[in-house]
Amino acid sequence: QVRLVESGGGSVQAGGSLRLSCVMSAYTYSTKCLGWFRQPPGKEREGVASLDTRDGSTSYADSVSGRFTVSHDNEKLTVYLQMNSLAPNDTAIYYCALVIGTCAGRQLKPSSYVFWGQGTQVTVAA
């Protein structure tokens, strides 16, 4: 079992930045697919970004490409989501997720991930 705990959410004005963190409990698998997802009010959960620890490759939703950056620190067992140029439509609960293995074919698909954090709220005011 892998436990994920997000932090770093909050309220920000449009144009501002936030960095989300997700700390993972200890694990033994070296190859993981790490994902960030969000669920806006009244909408379905959607993929935001993913990172494949096998080769460091990343994927982004079109809506965040160029503004958001996913990274991870293997020693700290932490995955990050740096969010810049935030807009009101970025308001959502943000979740980190993990699945053992590569990201191939499942980068931004919520149904492909097994372990989930509890979520952290991000609110962007106009």
Side-chain angles (χ1 to χ4, degrees), residues 3 6 14 25 32 34 37 42 47-48 78-79 84 90-91 98 112 125:
R3 184 166 176 257
E6 301 99 334
S25 60
K32 300 168 292 296
L34 307 173
F37 297 83
V48 174
T78 303
V79 58
N84 298 328
D90 293 316
T91 295
L98 179 154
S112 296

Side-chain angles (χ1 to χ4, degrees), residues 20-22 24 34 36 70-73 77-81 96:
L20 305 183
S21 300
C22 174
M24 300 170 275
L34 307 173
W36 282 98
V70 61
S71 61
H72 90 297
D73 185 325
L77 302 180
T78 303
V79 58
Y80 303 97
L81 184 68
C96 64

Side-chain angles (χ1 to χ4, degrees), residues 74-97:
N74 203 42
E75 289 188 4
K76 294 182 179 179
L77 302 180
T78 303
V79 58
Y80 303 97
L81 184 68
Q82 177 66 43
M83 306 185 294
N84 298 328
S85 301
L86 284 162
N89 61 4
D90 293 316
T91 295
I93 300 174
Y94 283 72
Y95 300 88
C96 64

